[in-house]
């Protein structure tokens, strides 16, 4: 199976930025095995959407194919992701189509054809989720690194109208176009920033970034003192950082801070103190916990019987530590980002 670089990028984005435990590339329904739920709604929404854009903008989304069940059976989603919460419930589902055209998005002989194809993909993806997963909400994304303004601007308008059309029917799908600078900030920057903390060799985009970084690191100039050469780093407030969940941000940041020797021995000592953790990060456990080689790792992860530290150890100045995993987005994020900026500005 051929995997496009854009699809691999979105796979990594869903897994590491959106906390999706289940991600599949090139998802297709098993039409002979699966029942279609909400069949009447699916057909009516596809018909109404088609008619709406034909009447208002003279766009023919589904052309001569008026068999809506067949259109649904032909659905293919480039990247499908599920974030699963307690009791196995789906908290978020993402259906993403991604297109990487170096000269700019182009699906046909004119811009109307390209716009129609994008809208068709988004409608069919939402209805595939509604029909095969029996869900009436989800995140439908079309992502492309380069779209000309003559296509991008009307697409933004049409997608907002599509959103309202679905909401008027009680369907809470969120339609989003991520392209150009937004693609860079919300997707590319985020995945690149997380690449140091991922070691899955199946994630081709991540591996390509890691290989690039291997050879792109700044070379030390022999005539300059060693202290004048610093590794290139991603700042704490880079555009797109807000997309990363707090846990992933903490882990990837510590990976980088340790690799670049940005933590002083004094700071490491402070990070092991509970009072410092409460005051600096607004958390209720020390950030770092020194590993005791005489005790089991499983027990050292726990506090009052609950795992409060990540299993993977961090080695700092020759000593192994566990990193706290109990971070709350609304309570801790601003504190952590402020601390991270302070650490970086001190170097």
């Amino acid at each position: 199976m051929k995997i496009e670089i854009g699809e691999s990028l979105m796979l990594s984005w869903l897994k590491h930025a959106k906390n999706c435990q289940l991600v599949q590339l090139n998802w297709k329904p098993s039409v002979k095995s699966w029942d279609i739920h909400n069949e009447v709604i699916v057909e009516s929404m596809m018909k109404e959407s088609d008619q709406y854009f034909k009447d208002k903008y003279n766009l023919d989304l589904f052309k001569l194919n008026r068999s809506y069940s067949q259109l649904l059976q032909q659905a293919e989603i480039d990247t499908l992701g599920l974030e699963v919460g307690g009791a196995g419930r789906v908290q978020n589902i993402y259906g993403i189509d991604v297109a990487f055209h170096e000269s700019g998005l182009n699906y046909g002989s004119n811009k109307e054809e390209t716009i129609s194809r994008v809208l068709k993909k988004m409608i069919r993806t939402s209805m595939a989720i509604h029909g095969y997963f029996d869900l009436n909400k989800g995140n439908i994304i079309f992502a492309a690194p380069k779209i000309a303004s003559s296509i991008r601007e009307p697409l933004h308008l049409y997608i907002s109208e599509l959103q309202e059309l679905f909401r008027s029917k009680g369907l809470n799908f969120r339609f989003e176009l991520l392209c150009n600078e937004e693609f860079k900030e919300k997707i590319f920057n985020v995945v690149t920033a997380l690449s140091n903390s991922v070691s899955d060799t199946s994630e081709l985009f991540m591996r390509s970034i890691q290989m690039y970084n291997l050879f792109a690191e700044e070379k030390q100039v022999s005539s300059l003192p060693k202290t004048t050469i610093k590794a290139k780093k991603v700042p704490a407030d880079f555009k797109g950082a807000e997309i990363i969940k707090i846990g992933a941000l903490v882990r990837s940041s510590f990976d980088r801070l340790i690799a670049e020797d940005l933590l002083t021995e004094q700071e490491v000592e402070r990070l092991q103190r509970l009072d410092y953790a409460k005051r600096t990060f607004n958390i209720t456990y020390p950030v770092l916990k020194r590993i005791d080689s005489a005790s089991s790792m499983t027990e050292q992860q726990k506090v009052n019987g609950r795992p409060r530290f990540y299993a993977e150890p961090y080695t700092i100045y020759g000593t192994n530590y566990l990193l706290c995993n109990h971070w709350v987005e609304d309570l801790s994020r601003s504190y952590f980002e402020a601390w991270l900026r302070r650490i970086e500005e001190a170097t």
Side-chain angles (χ1 to χ4, degrees):
M1 179 182 68
K2 183 177 73 171
I3 298 177
E4 298 289 346
I5 193 68
E7 295 169 1
S8 179
L9 169 61
M10 300 314 301
L11 178 145
S12 295
W13 186 68
L14 287 177
K15 284 181 67 175
H16 306 296
K18 293 300 183 181
N19 282 5
C20 288
Q21 297 94 332
L22 301 173
V23 182
Q24 182 177 338
L25 299 181
N26 302 305
W27 176 91
K28 294 180 181 179
S30 178
V31 296
K32 294 186 181 294
S33 303
W34 299 352
D35 293 329
I36 299 179
H37 304 278
N38 313 304
E39 195 165 357
V40 173
I41 297 174
V42 167
E43 182 170 346
S44 68
M45 284 308 302
M46 294 180 79
K47 283 182 178 178
E48 287 188 39
S49 301
D50 187 29
Q51 196 64 47
Y52 177 89
F53 287 101
K54 180 176 292 183
D55 292 344
K56 190 168 184 179
Y57 298 109
N58 198 31
L59 296 175
D60 192 359
L61 304 190
F62 300 117
K63 298 189 181 298
L64 299 177
N65 192 339
R66 293 295 180 261
S67 173
Y68 294 97
S69 61
Q70 184 180 3
L71 281 168
L72 192 63
Q73 291 169 6
Q74 294 170 350
E76 179 175 352
I77 302 174
D78 288 343
T79 316
L80 181 76
L82 278 76
E83 180 186 2
V84 182
R89 294 180 180 176
V90 176
Q91 291 186 329
N92 281 299
I93 186 168
Y94 297 85
I96 301 175
D97 281 293
V98 57
F100 175 31
H101 301 170
E102 289 183 75
S103 300
L105 184 68
N106 182 16
Y107 279 131
S109 58
N110 54 57
K111 67 178 184 180
E112 288 77 18
E113 175 67 18
T114 299
I115 290 170
S116 296
R117 286 277 295 275
V118 173
L119 292 172
K120 174 183 175 180
K121 285 173 178 288
M122 299 184 91
I123 294 167
R124 188 160 62 180
T125 294
S126 65
M127 289 297 92
I129 290 173
H130 191 48
Y132 290 111
F133 291 88
D134 196 18
L135 297 172
N136 65 0
K137 64 178 182 179
N139 302 279
I140 312 302
I141 298 171
F142 187 88
K146 186 176 182 180
I147 301 181
S149 59
S150 60
I151 294 174
R152 183 182 69 251
E153 291 174 6
L155 253 182
H156 274 300
L157 172 63
Y158 300 162
I159 289 172
S160 67
E161 293 185 16
L162 180 64
Q163 180 87 70
E164 291 305 314
L165 180 62
F166 269 63
R167 282 180 179 167
S168 70
K169 305 298 181 181
L171 296 171
N172 297 314
F173 289 95
R174 182 171 182 263
F175 296 92
E176 188 173 13
L177 176 67
L178 293 178
C179 64
N180 299 11
E181 195 64 22
E182 273 197 309
F183 183 97
K184 178 185 176 184
E185 292 178 6
K186 294 185 176 181
I187 299 174
F188 184 84
N189 283 356
V190 168
V191 174
T192 302
L194 293 171
S195 62
N196 287 339
S197 60
V198 176
S199 57
D200 188 343
T201 57
S202 68
E203 296 187 37
L204 300 183
F205 181 85
M206 282 284 201
R207 295 297 284 172
S208 67
I209 290 294
Q210 290 164 354
M211 181 178 288
Y212 174 82
N213 288 338
L214 183 66
F215 293 102
E217 290 179 352
E218 295 177 348
K219 302 295 184 181
Q220 181 173 335
V221 181
S222 58
S223 60
L224 294 177
K226 185 174 181 179
T227 54
T228 64
I229 304 297
K230 293 182 180 179
K232 187 178 181 181
K233 61 187 180 183
V234 180
D237 56 352
F238 75 94
K239 291 183 177 180
E242 71 281 357
I243 299 296
I244 304 175
K245 298 286 182 74
I246 180 63
L249 178 64
V250 169
R251 297 179 78 176
S252 63
S253 297
F254 268 88
D255 284 336
R256 180 171 55 81
L257 294 175
I258 294 168
E260 297 176 3
D261 292 325
L262 298 182
L263 293 175
T264 65
E265 292 185 70
Q266 293 79 8
E267 187 63 25
V268 173
E269 288 296 324
R270 287 191 286 266
L271 290 170
Q272 297 174 69
R273 288 174 16 210
L274 179 57
D275 64 320
Y276 185 72
K278 288 180 176 179
R279 183 175 68 254
T280 307
F281 301 99
N282 197 28
I283 61 175
T284 53
Y285 304 97
V287 177
L288 294 178
K289 179 179 182 180
R290 189 191 298 261
I291 293 176
D292 181 357
S293 59
S295 302
S296 78
M297 287 288 289
T298 302
E299 288 305 313
Q300 291 184 75
Q301 288 177 250
K302 297 178 181 179
V303 177
N304 296 326
R306 294 180 176 273
R308 296 306 187 199
F309 291 85
Y310 292 112
E312 299 83 3
Y314 288 79
T315 302
I316 312 173
Y317 297 112
T319 301
N320 293 327
Y321 298 90
L322 294 178
L323 176 65
C324 179
N325 67 5
H326 197 64
W327 301 85
V328 180
E329 190 78 34
D330 295 337
L331 300 178
S332 310
R333 187 182 192 97
S334 61
Y335 286 85
F336 180 79
E337 290 178 342
W339 172 82
L340 191 56
R341 282 192 293 271
R342 178 167 60 81
I343 294 297
E344 291 174 341
E345 289 167 359
T347 60

